[in-house]
Amino acid sequence: MTRIVADISVSLDGYVTGPDPGPDNGLGTGGEPLHHWAFSDDPDDRRLLQSSTTRSGAVVMGRRLFDLVDGPNGWNDDVGYGAEEVGRPAFVVVTGSPPTTMRLTGLDWTFVTTMTEAVGVARQRAQDASTEQGTDLDVVVMGGGATIRSAFDDDLVDVLSLHLAPVVLGGGTPLFTGPRSARTLIQRDVVVTSTATHLTYDVHP
């Protein structure tokens, strides 16, 4: 079964970037520790990253994140989806203005205008990939924060996977804001490593 998995790193005070994120400062000021786990040598971190990447049949992201990964300091031959884990699922970008040019032309990009459409397209791509590979693959909503929050608030998420980094950022991009995000979740898994606490929840409307 194809699940919609929202997967993101977050600080102890609930931010997915530090203050002042931008094209040349994607994680914001002081935000680098959020992703230390993805580049860690801890075997549990590596296992979790590999498992997530392997199960990814399609990936949804917002336009700001696309601009970062497609930018000159973005993904390359050594660092791409899943950090050092090489993955090439279909990528679906939510944007009102598709780019006219792309650097990463070797990846499978689709541009749509709404979150509902993005999840629908990604689900179909993941199901097609599942049939081809003979195994269940998921849709991963990887961010940024506003993209995951939109999918969560629109009841499009089945699983919430948080990588809780041991850092307090004091500001930046919050993961959840406002009453629409209020929800009771079902905790399914907790893995504590040297760099993060990895939390998995089932989400129900």
Side-chain angles (χ1 to χ4, degrees):
M1 181 183 69
T2 295
R3 305 172 302 169
I4 311 302
V5 181
D7 188 297
I8 197 164
S9 300
V10 62
S11 69
L12 290 174
D13 51 347
Y15 294 99
V16 297
T17 75
D20 303 316
D24 298 320
N25 191 29
L27 289 175
T29 302
E32 291 80 8
L34 290 170
H35 286 179
H36 281 176
W37 74 272
F39 299 94
S40 164
D41 291 329
D42 187 301
D44 286 327
D45 285 327
R46 305 309 307 167
R47 175 180 57 79
L48 288 166
L49 185 65
Q50 184 177 35
S51 174
S52 175
T53 304
T54 300
R55 280 192 59 94
S56 300
V59 175
V60 174
M61 68 177 70
R63 177 59 189 270
R64 288 184 181 179
L65 181 55
F66 168 80
D67 287 342
L68 289 174
V69 303
D70 193 57
N73 298 316
W75 290 351
N76 54 45
D77 290 341
D78 298 319
V79 178
Y81 178 66
E84 293 179 357
E85 300 293 338
V86 177
R88 290 181 178 269
F91 294 95
V92 182
V93 182
V94 184
T95 177
S97 54
T100 56
T101 61
M102 285 187 292
R103 180 178 64 87
L104 298 171
T105 55
L107 298 178
D108 181 357
W109 298 102
T110 301
F111 299 90
V112 300
T113 57
T114 70
M115 179 58 63
T116 299
E117 184 181 7
V119 170
V121 169
R123 187 192 299 275
Q124 186 60 59
R125 298 299 299 275
Q127 289 173 342
D128 291 344
S130 297
T131 300
E132 289 180 11
Q133 297 184 30
T135 187
D136 287 335
L137 299 175
D138 296 327
V139 172
V140 176
V141 184
M142 69 173 290
T147 300
I148 284 187
R149 188 163 59 248
S150 175
F152 188 85
D153 287 344
D154 289 346
D155 295 330
L156 298 172
V157 174
D158 300 314
V159 177
L160 179 63
S161 177
L162 299 180
H163 311 285
L164 187 63
V167 60
V168 175
L169 295 174
T173 305
L175 179 56
F176 295 120
T177 59
R180 290 186 65 196
S181 297
R183 198 78 54 84
T184 298
L185 309 180
I186 299 174
Q187 184 169 290
R188 290 303 185 195
D189 193 31
V190 178
V191 177
V192 179
T193 71
S194 59
T195 59
T197 301
H198 304 277
L199 305 163
T200 304
Y201 301 94
D202 284 347
V203 181
H204 294 280

